[in-house]
Amino acid sequence: MKEVTIIFFPEKKKVTVSLGTDLLTAAVQAGAPLVSSCGGKGICGRCRVKILKGNFETEATGKISPEDKDKQIYLACRTFAHSDMDVEILPESQLATGVTAEIHERKSPQPFLEEIEGIFPLVPLTKKFFVPLRKPSQQLTGSNLTKIETLLTQQGIAPLSTNLATLRRLAQLWRQNQTGLTVTVGERDDRKEIILLEPGDTSGRHFGVAVDVGTTTVSASLLCLNTGQTLRTELAFNRQASYGEDVVTRIVFAEKEKGLEQLHHAVVETINQLIFSLAKHAGVGLQEITAVVCSGNMTMSHLLLKIDPFFLRREPYEPIANHFPVVDAAEAGIRINPSGLLAVVGGVSSYVGGDITAGLLSVPLARKSEISLLLDIGTNGEMVLGNKDWLVCCSASAGPAFEGSGVKDGMRAVSGAIESVEIILKGSKEEVKVITIDGQPPLGICGSGYVELLNVFSARGIIDRSGNFVVSSHRIRECPEGREYLLVEPEQAGHGRFNARCG
Ligand code: FES
């Protein structure tokens, strides 16, 4: 089949695909950061690109106006390459990638850790022990492994299993090293295992990473596993966003050929990117990291472990597993010490995952008599109500409900998004003032801007408590306070602008 080459601007990402491939698929293959909230169904209108060069065919869609067409602007998922092409991803359709923010570089333990100390003592997934070297001729008897096990038992670590790779290294290290060995012991579901042997004493440098795998944002913290101290935290956008913004769209994408593989690869690469950045900035080697613990909603957990999420959205709406075994991190593609372990926090059901159970562990809600409410408002939102005797939880789509799927001109909180709205008095007239992220010209409105807009419009009587407009969006009408407002739809005022004036 004939192939064509497509270059995506502004990052100049190049890809060769079969003739007739849609531009969204090509962009994903090229690694070009293109928003696709609906996963390529042609519904959301977010994947806007400008054709700079080349022949193509495009399907008619109400999401593209005649003015857009005049400017050669089309939806990537509805446009098909018929020759080599140059394509520009428009600013509002560019997906932010990379490490987006460093949150903390901590020198002391976090307060909440101190608060729960005693209830949850520090029990890391891996522990390091220094074992002084004994030559085979010394008092201990038995095999080299037996001697190590005996020495570890004397330190209170038993019983133990090990693996073939460790055994292959053992005899050589035992005889070569003059000072001793550092033994890393991992815990797999209450079973202790020697996972790593290193020459000398490296027990003072022992690190792990805790990852919050969000549908939109992934947050990772580097911890010293000897003290529990959080050294540094960084954030990145989940690269899976190229395949759809909400979990259901991603589950649907996973059903496509190689879809599960692509989604798994995308989230693993996001995590690897964060671990690499954390380690680099904290002066820690990747080989010094032996444990990673991830929590996420059930869809994220399945995709991270490359487990088919098909039944999460189909009757009987059951996950493949609520609890996941501890696995070799390398098996899941996580790049730390090749002998390191990965634990994924278990959940309760298809839409009550490890993110909310991890949240519950970190707050005292389930240990108090008083009834409390825990809200986790992410792309997927959960809330738990209860106390030490009972807990009830529910979940619903949250982020995309504001920023993608249902709101015209909704967008994520990135540069150009309206994040704040207020009505100001100009002489005898009132105007809506918007504040955008980075002070850029408005491209759309993000969740916090939308909530504030509802609050401001509600307080001024422009909308009622149900969110319905008290005034028509196109006509001047009397408001309860006797003022008149003219609300202009975004298209009439230029793309992405919210305008209002009163007279
Ligand atoms: S319209 Fe193209 S991804 Fe939604």
Side-chain angles (χ1 to χ4, degrees), residues 340-361:
L341 300 181
L342 166 67
V344 176
V345 178
V348 177
S349 63
S350 287
Y351 293 95
V352 180
D355 46 359
I356 196 71
T357 52
L360 269 178
L361 284 173

Side-chain angles (χ1 to χ4, degrees), residues 17-67:
V17 292
S18 303
L19 186 80
T21 300
D22 69 86
L23 296 182
L24 175 61
T25 301
V28 168
Q29 285 184 23
L34 176 57
V35 171
S36 82
S37 302
C38 68
K41 293 195 205 119
I43 298 169
C44 68
R46 309 273 170 198
C47 58
R48 289 161 60 88
V49 294
K50 182 171 183 175
I51 310 300
L52 304 175
K53 194 177 89 183
N55 300 324
F56 60 94
E57 185 187 343
T58 191
E59 287 178 6
T61 164
K63 300 287 177 188
I64 293 297
S65 67
E67 294 77 32

